[in-house]
């Protein structure tokens, strides 16, 4: 299939592009490189530098490339920033995405794969988190993702749009061959930050909250490898054939890992200590978040190739150790 990957130079999008190529599809990337990286672009894959909210531009790409399905990864994703600058998130994650969807419908493209998030659930009442739990976001980032989920439902009914929304947990790791990896600016994710401390790029790591009601007092999170996520997105294509199809999937390993366990895994894989400064809890951090991914496993045949934190950290270290300055373009 001809697949437009919006945000295809970003962390998850770039991994998905390579998985699409491996699966025999033809990806085309749309990315304005504000957060994406030129070095993450796959060789021989056409790249359009533009904004997803530019309907005329997007419409031309859809028609010229004969696009059949759109995969959308181009969201702003910093929870803290969404609280301090909510308009930035509403304009990009909601308004620009609605322009993208209208351009799709105008071009007759009615298959959509959406990168959503477990943040739509807020603080869940029960664990693990399955697809039908109530959604009550506690920050603008999660709310903007939920807003698009609701819009997709309406478009499915009104226009026959077929979509799948994947709610990920903690995306982590890097490609197995070490060619692409995780490079955010600023970097806030635990694994790359811990690697930076172990390698001396940062003086220490702030561990937020050590008094949670968990086995070691630190938060429990569900780390899922970025390539495992990508494979699920591609596996759903066949299920989008019927107009108006509405699909929601939670993606995680189902095995929560504590912050301390992540730090220990980094120390073991890198072979150096990670200096930790224990700090108070951050507001809005639930003690535990982990997925029930039985639906994706059952309906998509999805299998996790990287089930444990050490295997995930090992792929991250392979990339970071060969790219000490990241992609070097931000």
């Amino acid at each position: 299939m001809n697949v437009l990957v919006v945000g295809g130079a970003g962390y998850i999008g770039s991994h998905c592009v390579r998985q699409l190529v491996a699966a025999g599809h033809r990806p085309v990337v749309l990315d304005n490189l504000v957060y994406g990286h030129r070095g993450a672009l796959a060789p021989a894959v056409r790249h359009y530098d533009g904004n997803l909210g530019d309907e005329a531009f997007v419409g031309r790409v859809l028609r010229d490339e004969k696009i059949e399905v759109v995969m959308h990864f181009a969201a702003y994703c910093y929870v803290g920033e969404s609280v301090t600058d909510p308009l930035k998130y509403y304009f990009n994650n909601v308004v620009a995405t609605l322009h993208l969807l209208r351009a799709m419908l105008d071009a007759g493209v009615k298959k959509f794969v959406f990168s959503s998030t477990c943040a739509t659930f807020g603080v869940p009442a029960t664990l693990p988190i399955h697809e039908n739990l109530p959604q009550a976001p506690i920050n603008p980032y999660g709310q903007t993702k939920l807003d698009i989920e609701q819009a997709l439902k309406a478009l499915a009914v009104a226009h026959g749009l077929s979509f799948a929304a994947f709610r990920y947990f903690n995306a982590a790791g890097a490609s197995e061959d070490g060619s692409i990896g995780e490079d955010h600016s600023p970097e806030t994710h635990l694994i790359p930050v811990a690697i930076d401390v172990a390698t001396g790029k940062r003086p220490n790591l702030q561990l937020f909250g050590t008094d949670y009601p968990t086995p070691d007092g630190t938060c429990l999170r569900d780390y899922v490898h970025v390539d495992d996520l990508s494979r699920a997105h591609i596996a759903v294509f066949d299920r989008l054939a019927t107009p108006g199809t509405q699909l929601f999937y939670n993606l995680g390993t189902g095995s929560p890992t504590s912050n301390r366990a992540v730090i220990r895994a980094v120390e073991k894989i890198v072979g150096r200590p990670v200096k930790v400064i224990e700090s108070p809890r951050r507001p809005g951090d639930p003690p535990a978040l982990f997925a029930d991914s039985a639906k994706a496993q059952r309906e998509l045949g999805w299998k996790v190739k990287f089930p444990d934190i050490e295997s995930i950290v090992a792929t991250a270290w392979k990339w970071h150790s060969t790219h000490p300055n990241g992609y070097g373009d931000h």
Side-chain angles (χ1 to χ4, degrees), residues 285-309:
D285 270 347
L289 293 172
F290 56 98
D292 178 346
S293 296
K295 183 182 178 185
Q297 294 167 22
R298 182 177 65 252
E299 294 186 4
L300 305 180
W302 185 58
K303 292 181 174 63
V304 172
K305 186 175 181 179
F306 300 90
D308 63 278
I309 194 63

Side-chain angles (χ1 to χ4, degrees), residues 13 20 23 29 46 57 64 72 75 119 126 164 179 197 207 239 247:
L20 284 164
V29 170
R46 183 166 294 177
F57 174 75
D64 290 349
H72 179 24
T126 60
S179 61
V197 175
L207 182 58
R239 297 184 64 86
L247 299 172

